[in-house]
Amino acid sequence: MINMQPHRLRSLIDARAIVWRRTSRFLISRALVFVVLLCSGPIATDAQTRRPRSEPQSSHLRSTMSPEEREMVELAIAVVCLERRKDPLGSVPIDEMQGRPSLPVLSPEAVAGAERAQRLLPVAKTLVSNSLRQLATRYAFTSVRGANLKLSQALVRIRAVKMIEPDMDSRDNASVYLRNPHTITFGTIFLAGLPSDEGMISVLAHELIHIADGDSDSLQILFRAIANRAASLTALTIRGQKAEELTCDLVGVMAARSYVAASPSYEPLPRRIARSVAHNCVEIDEGDEDHLSPRSTIRALLALDPSLTRELVSGRDERAPGRSNR
């Protein structure tokens, strides 16, 4: 669910709590402390070299960013938000959506948005399935026991989604109800606030990943692997539900970028790419317990996908070397 307010549907379905057990230092004898200090070097080294089977890691993924790469990400964020302001089809920032009055389901803007979402749903399902397969390979998810079956089941759930349901009360949110996994519900304000195909595909992809995960949390290992990498690159804290939300956003960006590649136009490449995340160009940058703040979300996504960052800054299509869309 893309949540523009400090609450989230999924927390009503599956609340999670993490309990940290601490041992009081007053119960540890001086002799035991001495032994631990003597052994800490070998123990720490061994812990760093072993990884639990449930947390796959791909050896070719970098875990830090250079100062130059960090600067490039910030430049790309500036490009995204500048393009949004210049773009006739630029998404409305989510903090602006929150302040808008509700739209009736049959208002022209909501009807146009619902029709666009329904038209793009089959395309989005294909792009999301492809992107999910790519991430499963990149993050070694398929090396985990039972993961191939979980991935297959997730793809089946994606294919089963058929309907877009406009809802006035949902306002600036999109959501899925796992008791009805064939439908994506869109608030009418959100439908009206996403006038581009790229922006709509990004949000459709986000919700499709929630459905793909299902009520058994079958993709949680993949979510954690992606969140761990994003956290190491950005120094953001990304745990629990935030890991799932970030992965949904990452698939949204990937799906939108694939859509851009498959549908060439004379529009500038950075503008079309920016549409996938431009709704996060907020003035009031606040997160909640389930979501990173909107601008932190853009930062994490660009850190995870450096080629996208370079395309935004340079205007050159890295999928077609030597070609410029700017």
Side-chain angles (χ1 to χ4, degrees):
M1 173 181 177
I2 292 186
N3 192 338
M4 310 317 167
Q5 300 171 348
H7 68 279
R8 188 190 183 285
L9 167 69
R10 203 171 173 83
S11 63
L12 299 178
I13 300 172
D14 182 21
R16 300 180 179 89
I18 300 174
V19 180
W20 294 92
R21 296 184 176 88
R22 295 188 175 93
T23 303
S24 173
R25 62 180 179 178
F26 299 108
L27 297 180
I28 302 175
S29 67
R30 292 182 179 180
L32 180 57
V33 171
F34 181 73
V35 172
V36 170
L37 289 173
L38 287 177
C39 299
S40 60
I43 291 175
T45 301
D46 185 58
Q48 290 169 1
T49 57
R50 288 187 315 220
R51 294 188 185 276
R53 294 183 64 182
S54 62
E55 295 290 348
Q57 297 289 332
S58 179
S59 60
H60 70 277
L61 296 175
R62 79 196 196 288
S63 59
T64 59
M65 286 197 300
S66 67
E68 293 76 16
E69 288 171 323
R70 292 181 185 278
E71 182 179 1
M72 185 71 75
V73 166
E74 297 306 315
L75 286 173
I77 293 173
V79 170
V80 167
C81 296
L82 176 62
E83 289 294 345
R84 189 206 69 79
R85 290 194 295 271
K86 298 190 301 182
D87 186 3
L89 298 178
S91 300
V92 177
I94 55 181
D95 58 340
E96 289 186 26
M97 291 189 202
Q98 290 176 352
R100 295 192 171 188
S102 296
L103 287 172
V105 170
L106 295 180
S107 66
E109 302 93 334
V111 169
E115 290 176 348
R116 182 182 309 109
Q118 191 69 57
R119 170 176 59 83
L120 292 170
L121 180 58
V123 177
K125 291 194 296 183
T126 299
L127 297 175
V128 167
S129 296
N130 293 340
S131 298
L132 186 56
R133 290 190 189 97
Q134 291 174 27
L135 290 175
T137 300
R138 187 180 305 167
Y139 287 88
F141 175 67
T142 51
S143 67
V144 178
R145 182 179 300 175
N148 285 317
L149 176 60
K150 291 180 178 180
L151 180 60
S152 296
Q153 292 170 338
L155 295 174
V156 169
R157 287 191 284 269
I158 290 170
R159 289 194 295 271
V161 180
K162 304 296 182 185
M163 294 296 299
I164 302 298
E165 181 178 341
D167 179 44
M168 183 175 175
D169 292 336
S170 293
R171 288 183 48 78
D172 54 314
N173 294 301
S175 58
V176 295
Y177 297 81
L178 296 183
R179 65 178 181 270
N180 181 20
H182 308 299
T183 300
I184 298 175
T185 300
F186 268 89
T188 51
I189 293 176
F190 207 13
L191 286 171
L194 298 169
S196 71
D197 286 0
E198 296 86 354
M200 186 63 73
I201 281 179
S202 175
V203 174
L204 287 170
H206 181 113
E207 299 304 327
L208 286 168
I209 290 298
H210 283 312
I211 289 176
D213 187 43
D215 54 11
S216 59
D217 298 330
S218 58
L219 300 177
Q220 291 297 314
I221 293 174
L222 177 61
F223 297 161
R224 287 197 297 270
I226 292 171
N228 287 342
R229 182 172 176 238
S232 69
L233 291 170
T234 62
L236 294 166
T237 300
I238 311 173
R239 301 192 186 100
Q241 186 61 32
K242 289 180 180 179
E244 180 170 342
E245 297 295 335
L246 179 63
T247 303
C248 292
D249 285 329
L250 178 60
V251 174
V253 168
M254 293 173 66
R257 181 63 186 90
S258 295
Y259 178 78
V260 169
S263 57
S265 79
Y266 289 105
E267 293 182 288
L269 178 64
R271 177 168 298 177
R272 297 191 70 191
I273 294 174
R275 289 169 178 166
S276 64
V277 292
H279 55 276
N280 290 308
C281 289
V282 296
E283 294 296 328
I284 303 173
D285 188 34
E286 296 178 348
D288 56 46
E289 63 181 7
D290 290 338
H291 303 81
L292 295 172
S293 75
R295 286 183 177 266
S296 291
T297 296
I298 304 179
R299 186 168 292 108
L301 294 173
L302 294 179
L304 288 168
D305 195 339
S307 66
L308 204 68
T309 301
R310 292 190 296 268
E311 288 180 328
L312 283 164
V313 174
S314 71
R316 290 192 294 271
D317 187 347
E318 296 204 351
R319 301 187 182 203
R323 173 179 152 197
S324 175
N325 292 70
R326 203 171 211 174

